[in-house]
């Protein structure tokens, strides 16, 4: 994220977060970042993620709250919402 494209990057990220949130139950979503070999330059990636989090909360904080988390914290947040989940019993394929 460079200074010249912050507004557009945050708008795109906010849109993606809201879109993902519309497809799940509850108020919490997990947005995973990266893939194989994505973090060969981890310092640069985390500097950019820090900016993404900071500016998302500054510019879109009324819609989304972005922060680093863990799978355990995510599961605890989902559990605390007392959501009724359906149970799939037939074949997935």
């Amino acid at each position: 994220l460079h200074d010249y494209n912050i507004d557009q990057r945050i708008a795109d990220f906010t849109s993606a977060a809201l879109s993902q949130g519309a497809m799940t139950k509850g108020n919490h979503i997990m947005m995973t970042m990266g893939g194989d070999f994505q973090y060969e330059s981890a310092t640069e990636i985390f500097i950019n993620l820090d900016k993404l989090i900071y500016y998302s909360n500054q510019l879109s904080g009324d819609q989304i709250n972005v922060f680093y988390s863990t799978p355990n914290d995510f599961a605890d947040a989902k559990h605390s919402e007392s959501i009724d989940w359906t149970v799939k019993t037939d074949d997935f394929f």
Side-chain angles (χ1 to χ4, degrees):
L1 291 171
H2 297 286
D3 290 345
Y4 65 88
N5 65 355
I6 289 172
D7 291 336
Q8 186 59 49
R9 292 290 185 170
I10 299 308
D12 292 345
F13 181 77
T14 300
S15 177
L18 294 173
S19 176
Q20 184 173 335
M23 293 184 271
T24 188
K25 293 182 179 182
N27 295 320
H28 298 90
I29 62 171
M30 179 184 288
M31 298 192 78
T32 57
M33 301 288 176
D36 289 345
F37 310 111
Q38 185 79 28
Y39 294 99
E40 290 182 17
S41 177
T43 300
E44 181 180 347
I45 296 293
F46 281 100
I47 287 170
N48 285 331
L49 284 174
D50 289 344
K51 289 179 184 180
L52 179 68
I53 291 169
Y54 175 79
Y55 287 111
S56 291
N57 290 330
Q58 291 294 309
L59 301 175
S60 296
D62 59 329
Q63 297 176 296
I64 62 175
N65 181 29
V66 184
F67 54 93
Y68 288 110
S69 190
T70 66
N72 189 62
D73 289 341
F74 174 70
D76 287 347
K78 282 293 198 186
H79 180 71
S80 72
E81 293 183 279
S82 300
I83 298 169
D84 289 326
W85 298 99
T86 57
V87 177
K88 185 162 177 60
T89 57
D90 59 323
D91 190 355
F92 284 96
F93 299 106

